[in-house]
């Protein structure tokens, strides 16, 4: 006589999430790789990530993109509480089901939604198998939170991770590198092969550790990033070419200077140059010889590294750039304010910092801070 089939008490068919989350097995449901769904399947990697977080029993941990909960369960073994933010309702149901009826259920909060748009509650540590599409926005959101998390252990696409900890002179050193390293100490922890994920992504991954600086640097992010945008317009060009050799950059700086003068009660000589009057810049620097040519011939192509800085930081700067550009295709006639701003820029680059002939990819953090301070002293601002 054949055996009667018995129904397991913990079958996945039980509970309110039965329809949304089928039984664990070789295929739970089709992953949506368009939103970066690559579930970490190697428990050894998950253990290593949690260990690097150096969790305390009192820690509240934010996990971004918990997926099916493989990493979540490891975190719950060490932390007081986990707040998991998940975009996909199917995944949220699956990770919730894994703790149903267990003591961990009271220590797991699942927030359904986009982590970039979500107002996050307080947490001590962030651990994330980060969907590649939100790598940059998530990084900057974490760094701008107040109070700052104690530590962030983040898995990224390897090239993006390498940009975070790249040093001056490295091929991947960029505006992203300078911005992140200004606000946090960045370390590379480990490489993770794509075979540790299901489904495997097209690229390899790396895990980095971000420790936000405390206290924070006493500068405005928008002002510092505005300077970097100009410096890295073409990171292999010298600074005098990126500033004095780019017409639209000078237009932006002139507009910003006028705004600063209006707010500070500083009168400006706004008269146009007299007929036949030449624009004379004291000890003017030649910008030829670096592949730039005359500044009137420099074509504006927008700020570089747009894929590295989140849209909610870059859109406003681009709007200001377009607003400062001449409405017609012809170059507007340069006036006395433009001449003054140009001289101020020349003075900062050559006389005050001596960085005119340096390339952005070779500059250290202190060099960019020196530039920002001296430009601000001259009334030149970037936000």
């Amino acid at each position: 006589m054949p055996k009667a089939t018995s129904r397991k008490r913990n079958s996945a068919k039980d509970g309110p999430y039965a329809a949304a989350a089928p039984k664990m097995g070789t295929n739970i449901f089709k992953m949506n790789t368009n939103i970066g769904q690559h579930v970490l399947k190697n428990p050894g990697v998950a253990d290593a990530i949690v260990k690097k977080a150096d969790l305390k029993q009192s820690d509240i941990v934010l996990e971004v993109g918990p997926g099916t909960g493989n990493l979540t369960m490891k975190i719950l073994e060490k932390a007081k509480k986990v707040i998991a933010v998940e975009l996909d309702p199917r995944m949220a149901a699956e990770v919730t089901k894994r703790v149903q009826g267990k003591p961990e259920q009271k220590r797991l909060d699942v927030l359904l939604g986009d982590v970039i748009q979500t107002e996050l509650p307080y947490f001590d540590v962030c651990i994330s198998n980060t969907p590649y599409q939100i790598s940059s926005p998530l990084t900057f959101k974490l760094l701008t939170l107040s109070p700052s998390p104690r530590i962030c252990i983040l898995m990224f696409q390897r090239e993006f991770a390498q940009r975070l900890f790249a040093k001056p002179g490295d091929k991947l050193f960029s505006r992203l590198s300078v911005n992140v390293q200004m606000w946090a100490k960045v370390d590379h922890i480990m490489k993770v092969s794509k075979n540790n994920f299901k489904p495997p992504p097209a690229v390899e991954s790396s895990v980095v550790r971000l420790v936000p600086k405390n206290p924070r640097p006493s500068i405005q992010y928008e002002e510092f990033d505005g300077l970097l945008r100009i410096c890295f317009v073409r990171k292999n060009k010298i600074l005098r070419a990126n500033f004095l050799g780019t017409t639209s950059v000078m237009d932006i700086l002139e507009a910003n200077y006028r705004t600063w003068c209006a707010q500070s009660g500083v009168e400006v000589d706004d008269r146009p140059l007299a007929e036949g009057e030449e624009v004379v810049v004291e000890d003017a620097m030649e910008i030829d010889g670096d592949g730039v040519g005359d500044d009137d011939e420099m074509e504006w192509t927008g700020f570089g590294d747009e894929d590295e800085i989140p849209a909610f930081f870059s859109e406003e700067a681009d709007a200001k750039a377009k607003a400062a550009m001449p409405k017609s295709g012809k170059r507007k006639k340069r006036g006395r304010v433009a001449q003054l701003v140009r001289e101020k820029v020349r003075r900062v680059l050559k006389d005050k910092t001596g960085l005119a002939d340096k390339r952005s990819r070779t500059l250290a953090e202190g060099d960019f801070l020196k530039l920002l301070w001296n430009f601000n002293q001259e009334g030149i601002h970037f936000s």
Side-chain angles (χ1 to χ4, degrees), residues 124-249:
D124 302 290
V125 177
C126 177
I127 299 177
S128 172
N129 173 17
T130 313
Y132 297 149
Q133 291 86 343
I134 64 167
S135 297
S136 181
L138 177 62
T139 300
F140 282 93
K141 177 160 187 169
L142 293 173
L143 293 179
T144 54
L145 287 175
S146 182
S148 302
R150 185 177 75 249
I151 186 173
C152 303
I153 305 294
L154 310 172
M155 180 130 57
F156 292 123
Q157 178 182 341
R158 185 162 299 167
E159 183 174 324
F160 181 87
Q162 290 172 333
R163 290 176 183 269
L164 294 181
F165 57 80
K167 300 302 180 184
D170 292 350
K171 181 179 179 180
L172 292 177
F173 186 70
S174 64
R175 178 167 128 238
L176 176 69
S177 313
V178 182
N179 259 322
V180 172
Q181 292 172 35
M182 170 59 66
W183 302 99
K185 183 179 183 296
V186 188
D187 296 306
H188 180 248
I189 293 178
M190 59 189 290
K191 296 180 180 179
V192 182
S193 168
K194 57 187 177 183
N195 295 325
N196 291 295
F197 299 90
K198 184 177 182 180
V203 295
E204 305 291 345
S205 300
S206 283
V207 180
V208 299
R209 174 172 51 214
L210 269 64
V211 180
K213 293 181 180 179
N214 188 15
R216 291 182 176 181
S218 56
I219 60 173
Q220 293 183 351
Y221 171 82
E222 293 80 5
E223 183 76 0
F224 186 65
D225 183 57
L227 168 67
L228 296 182
R229 283 173 162 271
I230 296 175
C231 292
F232 283 94
V233 163
R234 295 166 183 82
K235 67 178 182 180
N236 291 319
K237 296 292 183 182
I238 59 177
L239 288 180
R240 61 189 170 112
N242 282 341
F243 280 86
L244 297 172
T246 309
T247 298
S248 294
V249 167

Side-chain angles (χ1 to χ4, degrees), residues 9 37 67 84 96 114 127 200 207 220 269 325 327 354 358:
R9 295 181 62 184
Q37 285 184 349
T96 301
D114 182 353
I127 299 177
V207 180
Q220 293 183 351
D269 185 354
M325 294 175 66
K327 299 299 181 182
K358 299 293 185 179

Side-chain angles (χ1 to χ4, degrees), residues 76-147:
L76 283 169
E77 294 175 5
K78 301 290 185 181
K80 175 183 177 181
K81 181 180 179 181
V82 174
I83 302 168
V85 184
E86 176 56 61
L87 182 63
D88 189 339
R90 304 173 305 162
M91 295 288 192
E94 183 62 33
V95 71
T96 301
K97 187 165 72 68
R98 290 190 68 169
V99 298
Q100 270 188 324
K102 299 179 180 179
E104 293 89 343
Q105 183 174 0
K106 295 182 179 180
R107 298 191 290 115
L108 174 64
D109 287 346
V110 179
L111 304 181
L112 184 61
D114 182 353
V115 67
I116 306 303
Q117 305 299 328
T118 300
E119 184 175 348
L120 299 174
Y122 172 83
F123 60 94
D124 302 290
V125 177
C126 177
I127 299 177
S128 172
N129 173 17
T130 313
Y132 297 149
Q133 291 86 343
I134 64 167
S135 297
S136 181
L138 177 62
T139 300
F140 282 93
K141 177 160 187 169
L142 293 173
L143 293 179
T144 54
L145 287 175
S146 182

Side-chain angles (χ1 to χ4, degrees), residues 42 61 72 100 128 163 166 180 189 210 229 247 255 272 279 292 313 340 347 365 372:
N42 188 332
V61 178
T72 312
Q100 270 188 324
S128 172
R163 290 176 183 269
V180 172
I189 293 178
L210 269 64
R229 283 173 162 271
T247 298
V279 176
V292 180
F313 285 132
L340 176 63
R347 187 183 303 141
E365 180 182 287
L372 182 62

